[in-house]
Amino acid sequence: MIKYLDLKRINDCHDMELRQAIDEVLQSGWYLKGEATHRFEQHYADFIGTKFCIGCANGLDALTLIFRAYKEMGIMKDGDEVIVPANTFIASILAITDNNLVPVMVEPDIKTLEIDDRLIEQAITTRTRAIMIVHLYGRCAYTDKIGELCKRYNLRLIEDNAQAHGCTFGNRKTGSLGEAAGHSFYPGKNLGALGDAGAVTTNVEELARVIAALGNYGSHQKYVHDYTGRNSRIDELQAAILDVKLKYLDKGNMRRKQIASIYINKVKNPLIYIPQSERDCVWHIFPVFCERRDELKQYLGSHGVETQIHYPIPPHMQHCYSRWNSISLPVTERLSREELSLPCHQMMTDKDAEMIAEIINLFC
């Protein structure tokens, strides 16, 4: 069986370093907001290319805290609109609605799988305050046109960088392209913790200051609470683990790109659609699309290949968002029906990827 993702093998590569990092935290006697957290925040900010990194409990909290901070700063208020891609994991939408803001869902470009920048301007209204791009599957979603629209309409650009650690646009990293970015370090991510963890990156000092307080019970100073905050902090163990794994992120991403290249060059089955884009991608997920997706998944499983389906029910069709169930978003709905994720990670061999491609080519 070729596993979809073998986290044990990935983490075993760093076994001694991880054990040492964990032991150092245990021996320190300090388990929250200590030296390990400070060190990782600084290293990750340097890696992304921003002045500030604020660790938090998870990726959803990272996005939620960004919008909450904008409201505390008077930049946004209840009922304001945020343009967001319709084809995304529900966390992108939850962060908006949890702050009593309104998501305006825009279809993706079928060629890139990212928000279609040709459709954004027509979605802008007098209530629009931000565009949130999602670097879905590890693909860069940013375009110069999106940046120009933000400038023209005075909109904040926010990045959901949960799946694209190390992805680039030109000589800049995703997570540094907008005013703020949310990052998830869920174990399965390219940079994954051994539990939940997240972070916000930004170059705006006041925004960083407010986010840091909001995630610490609304407090900058112990027992002094400027905001009605929450408890959302990265712990010392996860920070130490992430600091070890950060050193190997670029190497892991490069290997993912090599595996993806084999799929792109070797899969020739006309029933399979593999979107390609000139933008950078770190292949957190390698998606293929097939009208007979469920048959393809069963077929690959019978040949020893484990696959996953990502986002079979798009946010606008979820029960919790019944107010939007009647919206027609045909591109998003097609992708949700047809998407299948192939194994694509740094522990795979070329032979693994070539064998999977050969098996796919025999599907009919």
Side-chain angles (χ1 to χ4, degrees):
M1 170 68 75
I2 298 177
K3 289 186 176 182
Y4 175 72
L5 182 63
D6 195 335
L7 289 179
K8 185 177 186 305
R9 286 181 64 202
I10 290 172
N11 289 318
D12 281 349
C13 293
H14 317 301
D15 183 77
M16 292 304 296
E17 286 183 88
L18 291 174
R19 289 177 185 274
Q20 181 180 347
I22 291 168
D23 187 61
E24 287 174 359
V25 172
L26 292 175
Q27 294 302 318
S28 75
W30 196 280
Y31 309 120
L32 280 171
K33 296 179 72 65
E35 180 57 35
T37 296
H38 175 75
R39 182 168 58 244
F40 172 68
E41 288 175 335
Q42 185 59 62
H43 288 167
Y44 194 65
D46 292 342
F47 176 81
I48 294 296
T50 56
K51 294 179 182 177
F52 306 101
C53 170
I54 308 98
C56 60
N58 53 67
L60 173 56
D61 277 7
L63 295 173
T64 303
L65 289 168
I66 291 170
F67 289 113
R68 174 68 187 282
Y70 279 131
K71 293 182 71 177
E72 294 290 352
M73 295 165 69
I75 293 169
M76 297 183 188
K77 62 182 183 300
D78 286 2
D80 284 345
E81 296 173 352
V82 179
I83 291 174
V84 63
N87 64 318
T88 186
F89 180 54
I90 199 168
S92 309
I93 311 298
L94 287 171
I96 297 169
T97 58
D98 280 358
N99 280 287
N100 294 317
L101 302 170
V102 180
V104 177
M105 289 173 268
V106 172
E107 288 267 63
D109 183 338
I110 194 69
K111 296 178 181 178
T112 68
L113 307 180
E114 304 301 328
I115 190 168
D116 192 335
D117 61 9
R118 298 167 299 181
L119 304 178
I120 292 176
E121 189 166 19
Q122 66 194 50
I124 296 172
T125 73
T126 57
R127 300 299 299 272
T128 307
R129 296 295 176 267
I131 298 173
M132 181 161 74
I133 56 175
V134 180
H135 303 296
L136 198 68
Y137 307 125
R139 295 167 173 250
C140 179
Y142 181 82
T143 67
D144 288 328
K145 184 171 184 177
I146 292 173
E148 189 275 327
L149 286 170
C150 287
K151 290 180 181 178
R152 189 193 313 171
Y153 291 96
N154 192 30
L155 304 177
R156 263 63 188 184
L157 178 61
I158 299 155
E159 298 173 77
D160 181 340
N161 199 50
Q163 299 186 4
H165 315 129
C167 188
T168 60
F169 179 82
N171 61 359
R172 299 171 64 191
K173 293 276 199 330
T174 57
S176 70
L177 305 173
E179 190 167 271
H183 307 254
S184 168
F185 305 120
Y186 178 80
K189 298 299 172 65
N190 292 32
L191 178 60
L194 300 188
D196 269 324
V200 175
T201 53
T202 182
N203 285 312
V204 182
E205 184 174 4
E206 178 64 9
L207 184 62
R209 191 186 71 83
V210 175
I211 287 170
L214 286 169
N216 187 39
Y217 299 99
S219 174
H220 292 294
Q221 179 183 347
K222 195 168 185 178
Y223 301 130
V224 179
H225 303 271
D226 298 317
Y227 314 102
T228 54
R230 64 172 65 191
N231 176 12
S232 181
R233 300 173 295 196
I234 190 171
D235 67 68
E236 288 285 279
L237 284 171
Q238 300 305 336
I241 288 161
L242 289 166
D243 204 43
V244 169
K245 297 180 74 175
L246 179 60
K247 295 181 292 184
Y248 302 99
L249 176 58
D250 284 338
K251 182 179 179 181
N253 284 344
M254 183 57 66
R255 183 60 187 150
R256 287 171 179 262
K257 290 181 180 184
Q258 291 168 347
I259 296 298
S261 180
I262 292 174
Y263 287 145
I264 290 168
N265 291 315
K266 298 286 187 179
V267 173
K268 302 296 183 182
N269 192 322
L271 297 175
I272 310 301
Y273 173 54
I274 302 178
Q276 297 184 40
S277 172
E278 294 179 357
R279 303 179 211 166
D280 190 31
C281 181
V282 293
W283 300 106
H284 170 61
I285 293 170
F286 190 97
V288 299
F289 298 86
C290 178
E291 290 184 4
R292 293 160 55 196
R293 186 264 310 281
D294 294 343
E295 291 179 58
L296 177 61
K297 178 175 175 58
Q298 184 177 12
Y299 166 79
L300 285 168
S302 70
H303 286 77
V305 180
E306 185 179 35
T307 58
Q308 297 286 338
I309 295 172
H310 281 95
Y311 323 130
I313 305 175
H316 74 282
M317 297 178 70
Q318 296 286 352
H319 177 71
C320 64
Y321 287 134
S322 58
R323 76 193 92 166
W324 291 302
N325 285 175
S326 61
I327 295 175
S328 176
L329 295 166
V331 178
T332 295
E333 291 160 20
R334 174 190 165 186
L335 294 178
S336 70
R337 289 193 305 270
E338 298 184 4
E339 194 275 345
L340 186 68
S341 304
L342 303 182
C344 186
H345 56 85
Q346 59 266 46
M347 302 311 298
M348 291 178 64
T349 65
D350 288 2
K351 185 178 179 180
D352 290 335
E354 289 166 357
M355 183 178 74
I356 292 170
E358 183 178 347
I359 292 169
I360 290 174
N361 286 338
L362 294 175
F363 175 73
C364 63

